[in-house]
Structure formats: C-alpha cells, structure tokens
Amino acid sequence: MQHGESLLERIRELTAELAAQRAERQRRRQLDPGDFDRLRAIGLHEACVPVAYGGLWEGARRSARTLAEVYRTLAGADPSLALAASMHPTVLSFWRDAEVPAGEPGADAWEAQRQEVFTTALDGAWWGTLTSEPGSGGDIGRTRAAARRDPAAPGGWRITGEKHFGSGSGATSFMITTALPDGEVEPAWFVLD
C-alpha cells in the first residue's frame, strides 16, 4: 500500500494514546464519533479506496497486509473501535472488488455508482453494516426485511423489518442492509444514509 507505512505509523501513535484510556474505553456502551474523526484525520478512510479513484488501495497483494496490521494495531488499544471501523473497508470492498466490463449492460451505471461511493469515502464518510436480524444466525440471505418501491420518492425504497445490530451506529454516514424486494426471490443490498 502506497503510504501504508506512514498510515501504520500514525495508527501506532494513536493507539499508544488510546491504550492509556483502556479502562475508561472498556466501560463505554457507545461509539465516540470523535474517534472516527481522528481516524479520518490520519487517513484511514482512504486506505480501502482504489488508487484509480484517489485512495490508497493498490490491490490485495500490495495493500491487504498493511490494512490488516492497521486494524490489528488499533484493536490492541480499542477492540470496539477497530471492529466498527473495519466495517468501512469491508463494505467498500463490494464496490472495489466487483467489476462490470465496459460495454456490458449496466457498466456505465455501475461505474457511476462506484465513483459516487468512493467519493463519499474520500470526502470523509464512514460506511457500516445494518444486516443482522434476530433468528437469521448471521445469514444475510435469510432476511425477513421487506423492500417496497416508495411512490413518494422516485427510485427510492421503503424497508421494513427488524435489524438488531448496526456496526458503526452513531458514527457512520452510510449503512448497507439487505431486504427482499417485492416480487423477488433473492434479497438485495440497499444503502441507507
């Protein structure tokens, strides 16, 4: 990862400071959005955006080990913060790692969506997940949430259902979730802001 060592060094400096607050941090029952501001200030939000879009990600061979070391180091000081922050690269990998070849149906729309998602990350937005449901055993394919077109918002959806875990709640700008669209047999992904 280009600039990876520099990012890792900044994470090490931050975690030394966070480790001194370990007892207080372990008593917390919610995330501190200020922690995400600090992670943003050192550039972590850019680490999983491809270089071609202005980020630091140079592909799995060059970047994955450094990014894993960054999160392992952060977890040594605050495991909850590391877990919630690690959802950001996980979610962005849906757009980062999927390609629709130019000329294929939907390629232009896919590229526009990728550009929009990566721009939000580069602008400082954090992404998280809101997918767990009671009784699903963590299997997002077993969602019972329903998605219906929203007549009041062209292109929009209304999602109803019960979700019980939102990774990064209170600190994220966007969440992904799953629901079963009307008339479909397979669940689909949705973005919530």
Side-chain angles (χ1 to χ4, degrees), residues 8 25 35 59 61 67 78-79 85 95 123 144 157 170 176 180:
L8 185 54
R25 288 178 168 276
D35 287 338
R61 288 188 80 185
L67 192 59
D78 190 329
W95 287 277
D123 286 346
R144 292 187 302 244
W157 294 82
I176 60 168
L180 186 62

Side-chain angles (χ1 to χ4, degrees), residues 2-108:
Q2 185 179 10
H3 310 296
E5 287 305 313
S6 149
L7 177 63
L8 185 54
E9 186 54 40
R10 290 189 307 262
I11 284 289
R12 286 180 178 138
E13 291 169 9
L14 174 63
T15 56
E17 185 179 328
L18 299 180
Q21 306 163 356
R22 184 171 286 128
E24 183 271 327
R25 288 178 168 276
Q26 289 179 340
R27 288 190 298 273
R28 289 183 183 173
R29 295 292 176 246
Q30 63 189 26
L31 294 171
D32 179 354
D35 287 338
F36 286 83
D37 292 341
R38 294 173 78 185
L39 293 174
R40 184 181 302 107
I42 63 175
L44 186 56
H45 63 295
E46 301 173 0
C48 53
V49 175
V51 170
Y53 294 85
L56 302 174
W57 184 261
E58 295 180 293
R61 288 188 80 185
R62 293 186 53 113
S63 300
R65 184 179 302 266
T66 300
L67 192 59
E69 180 68 14
V70 163
Y71 282 105
R72 187 193 69 75
T73 301
L74 183 59
D78 190 329
S80 294
L81 176 60
L83 174 64
S86 73
M87 291 300 107
H88 180 71
T90 303
V91 170
L92 291 185
S93 72
F94 289 111
W95 287 277
R96 187 190 67 225
D97 298 340
E99 297 283 339
V100 177
E104 292 287 322
D108 291 342

Side-chain angles (χ1 to χ4, degrees), residues 180-192:
L180 186 62
D182 272 345
E184 299 289 331
V185 295
E186 295 289 326
W189 289 101
F190 295 87
V191 173
L192 308 171

